[in-house]
Amino acid sequence: MGIFEMMEKEGHEQLIFLHDRLSGLKAAVGIHDTTLGPALGGCRMWPYPTEEEMVQDVLRLSKGMTAKSAATGCDYGGGKAVIWGNPNTDKSEELFRAFGRFVEGLKGRFITGTDMGTNYEDFVWAAQESKYFVALPESHGGSGDSSLITAYGVTVGIKTALSFAGSDNLKGKGIAIQGVGKVGYHLIENLLAEGARIYASDISESKLDKIRKDFPEVTIVSPEEIYGLDVDVFSPCAMGGIINDETIKLIKAKIIAGAANNQLLEPRHGEILRQRGILYAPDFIVNAGGLIQVVDELSGFDRERAMRKTAGIRELLMRVFEISKDRDIPTNEAAAVLVEERIARLGALQRIYLSK
Ligand code: NAD
């Protein structure tokens, strides 16, 4: 599919490619929809096998951010950046500063921070070139690591789904976590504290070693085994697209709730999950804690307020589950209903003229 075809299919406004020969920066910024405000979304660094996969990822991720902002009542649009490179070997000050200069050039149409493969220290460099970086360390005037609050929101999401299905008591519940990076680590911490049994996988041995050392009670399994475990909840906390025709057949958990963006490879996988009796908690609601933190930071950060708002993920998810039940539609479609309604209602406010 051509690039414009892809943009038209998903409704994107803008796709920008960034290249800096000296620092080796190769990146893309996707701006999906700015009806509600400037595009906001993190920056991922990943060694995509092909250019096409990088483009697909930035388009899918930026579209997800439009949904996340709209669903959680934030007046921002959807955007995301991806840097094409290996986060273990390709990071440098000049690379992130070059990225920062490009972001500054967008003059606030796009605001960004960390995502998979990047951490807030990387953006201390980028922020030397631009004021449009959020979730920097507190020592640099930011609201700090957003993965803590994201993990809190995922914990709320898991408990909400459990409670919709019966009881939200985590004691003795089996939870399989795919990916033990920034969010997965804190999620394990939260769930163990409430007595859950944790199984975890990662492709990085160093990440797994840290889990073995800090949480010896966690059972480590291979990346292939994680799908088919006989557990209550499967919690994807790594890459997107992992709920697909192949993996759906393996999943035994009756609930899917995790941090990863774009967990369904295609929207139709939401319907397949429904038919199989698996309650899917839409990712962009479950993982909205990080967005809620940075939006709060943009108007003067108050951690208590951001935590309270993140706790609201419970109410939002319950609404989605109810809509899904009442209308007999999959939960991903029910969540899309909330998104479309809010964009239509608030986008129309722009008809009221404001003098400059
Ligand atoms: P991270 O890079 O810190 O961790 C991701 C982990 O997943 C890494 O340890 C990586 O080795 C592992 N991984 C990659 N492929 C894997 C596979 N096939 N099987 C098992 N493990 C695999 O990233 P993060 O910040 O923890 O984010 C995790 C997910 O949550 C991403 O999809 C991200 O977009 C999403 N998310 C993060 C935040 C946040 O605040 N950090 C907010 C919202 C959504």
Side-chain angles (χ1 to χ4, degrees):
M1 202 186 281
I3 282 183
F4 282 110
E5 252 177 291
M6 283 198 257
M7 290 176 73
E8 192 165 354
K9 179 166 168 256
E10 304 293 358
H12 284 78
E13 291 176 11
Q14 204 173 3
L15 175 64
I16 307 149
F17 293 95
L18 319 176
H19 177 238
D20 177 51
R21 196 164 47 88
L22 284 184
S23 64
L25 176 75
K26 289 191 179 82
V29 175
I31 296 184
H32 176 252
D33 185 306
T34 55
T35 308
L36 295 181
L40 176 62
C43 171
R44 175 171 289 192
M45 184 166 187
W46 202 250
Y48 296 98
T50 63
E51 244 173 50
E52 196 186 338
E53 281 165 80
M54 178 189 82
V55 169
Q56 272 167 355
D57 206 32
V58 80
L59 292 177
R60 280 165 60 85
L61 289 165
S62 50
K63 183 178 179 193
M65 291 308 296
T66 302
K68 200 182 302 193
S69 265
T72 51
C74 298
D75 286 344
Y76 285 87
K80 203 91 178 186
V82 295
I83 295 178
W84 196 9
N86 185 330
N88 299 318
T89 51
D90 296 341
K91 288 185 180 178
S92 67
E93 177 176 356
E94 58 276 22
L95 181 120
F96 281 97
R97 289 186 72 156
F99 178 66
R101 290 181 77 84
F102 283 117
V103 170
E104 180 66 16
L106 295 172
K107 295 189 164 40
R109 247 180 87 67
F110 175 59
I111 302 166
T112 190
T114 62
D115 190 69
M116 230 172 114
T118 57
N119 57 53
Y120 61 178
E121 283 90 8
D122 301 330
F123 294 115
V124 170
W125 285 323
Q128 283 174 259
E129 305 292 344
S130 170
K131 48 193 170 299
Y132 301 114
F133 283 86
V134 283
L136 295 175
E138 280 148 286
S139 57
H140 287 75
S143 59
D145 185 356
S146 65
S147 60
L148 272 140
I149 201 162
T150 302
Y152 168 62
V154 178
T155 311
V156 170
I158 289 175
K159 289 172 78 171
T160 308
L162 281 168
S163 115
F164 189 77
S167 142
D168 71 357
N169 188 350
L170 281 169
K171 204 162 175 41
K173 293 280 183 341
I175 303 186
I177 302 180
Q178 180 183 49
V180 293
K182 298 188 293 294
V183 180
Y185 181 93
H186 295 300
L187 181 62
I188 290 179
E189 211 168 25
N190 296 346
L191 298 173
L192 284 177
E194 297 205 35
R197 284 179 296 118
I198 305 297
Y199 300 80
S201 73
D202 202 292
I203 51 169
S204 153
E205 267 311 306
S206 64
K207 296 276 171 57
L208 289 175
D209 282 344
K210 190 163 167 50
I211 299 298
R212 285 186 190 104
K213 181 167 155 285
D214 295 353
F215 311 113
E217 59 273 58
V218 170
T219 307
I220 306 291
V221 301
S222 73
E224 295 75 33
E225 276 174 293
I226 197 79
Y227 297 101
L229 296 175
D230 195 3
V231 288
D232 299 280
V233 180
F234 172 47
S235 185
C237 294
M239 289 298 269
I242 41 78
I243 312 282
N244 53 48
D245 292 338
E246 269 66 56
T247 58
I248 277 184
K249 290 184 245 166
L250 308 174
I251 296 171
K252 294 202 187 84
K254 285 290 170 217
I255 290 172
I256 299 177
N261 282 304
N262 303 323
Q263 291 166 26
L264 304 180
L265 182 63
E266 292 171 43
R268 70 183 172 87
H269 291 113
E271 175 57 18
I272 301 178
L273 289 176
R274 190 173 80 106
Q275 283 167 11
R276 290 181 56 107
I278 298 173
L279 181 64
Y280 169 63
D283 46 17
F284 62 80
I285 295 181
V286 174
N287 70 16
L291 172 83
I292 291 169
Q293 170 173 326
V294 299
V295 166
D296 199 272
E297 174 183 335
L298 286 162
S299 51
F301 188 52
D302 177 337
R303 188 167 294 279
E304 284 300 307
R305 184 175 57 200
M307 291 292 277
R308 263 200 317 278
K309 195 155 181 219
T310 303
I313 285 176
R314 182 181 180 90
E315 200 191 320
L316 205 53
L317 262 186
M318 280 296 186
R319 263 173 70 201
V320 167
F321 294 153
E322 294 297 345
I323 295 175
S324 152
K325 201 166 128 198
D326 294 348
R327 300 196 192 176
D328 213 12
I329 55 175
T331 52
N332 55 316
E333 275 179 33
V337 169
L338 290 185
V339 170
E340 282 154 22
E341 281 178 4
R342 182 173 162 85
I343 293 178
R345 269 187 288 116
L346 298 186
L349 281 175
Q350 286 173 22
R351 73 193 182 280
I352 304 170
Y353 176 74
L354 287 180
S355 59
K356 296 277 175 322

